[in-house]
Amino acid sequence: MTEHLARSPVHMVTGFAEQLSWALYRLDRRELGLGLSGDSFLYTRCAVVAAGREVFDAVLRDPGAFTPFAAGFIWAESLLCAPDQAYERITGEEWDRDTRYSYDSYANTAGWAARSPGR
C-alpha cells in the first residue's frame, strides 16, 4: 500500500488517510469492540478495511461478520502507517496530520452509546 501511495500525488495520500479514518471510525462500535483492548480493536478494524469493501459492508450490516477477525487475531496494523510513510517519501517531510475523524478505539461516541431495546 505504501509503495502504491508513494507513486501518487500528495492529495491522493491525504485523501486515502481521510477515507481510512472514516472507515475505521464507522467500525468503532460497541457491538464490535466489547472484550477487546483498544489496540486490538483498532488493528482488527484495520484488517476488516484491508479485506475490502464487501467485507467492510458485511461487518456494518452484521456484527457477526467481525467475529472471525477478532477471534483469529487478524490484524493489519501496518495499514495505519501507509499514508504517513508515503507522504514522507513524496515530500521528504514528516506528516503531522490530523484527519477529520479519529480512528482511535472508542472515539466514535455515537457508536458506543447505549442502545435501547429494539434499535
Side-chain angles (χ1 to χ4, degrees), residues 3 69 71 77 84 91 112 117-118:
E3 292 299 320
F69 290 88
E77 177 183 4
D84 299 82
T91 66
W112 284 88

Side-chain angles (χ1 to χ4, degrees), residues 40-54:
S40 296
F41 185 41
L42 173 58
Y43 305 153
T44 304
R45 287 183 288 135
C46 287
V48 169
V49 172
R53 184 63 178 213
E54 286 183 28

Side-chain angles (χ1 to χ4, degrees), residues 19-20 22-27 29 45 47-62 65 69:
Q19 290 298 312
L20 176 60
W22 172 235
L24 294 172
Y25 186 83
R26 290 182 64 202
L27 292 170
R29 302 175 6 205
R45 287 183 288 135
V48 169
V49 172
R53 184 63 178 213
E54 286 183 28
V55 172
F56 174 81
D57 288 342
V59 169
L60 288 177
R61 280 190 311 275
D62 175 15
F69 290 88

Side-chain angles (χ1 to χ4, degrees), residues 17-32 41-42 45-46 49 56 60 80 99-113 115:
E18 287 296 335
Q19 290 298 312
L20 176 60
S21 70
W22 172 235
L24 294 172
Y25 186 83
R26 290 182 64 202
L27 292 170
D28 185 18
R29 302 175 6 205
R30 174 184 304 276
E31 59 270 24
L32 302 178
F41 185 41
L42 173 58
R45 287 183 288 135
C46 287
V49 172
F56 174 81
L60 288 177
L80 296 173
T99 52
R100 181 171 178 191
Y101 296 94
S102 173
Y103 56 73
D104 291 334
S105 294
Y106 323 118
N108 181 355
T109 54
W112 284 88
R115 307 259 193 251

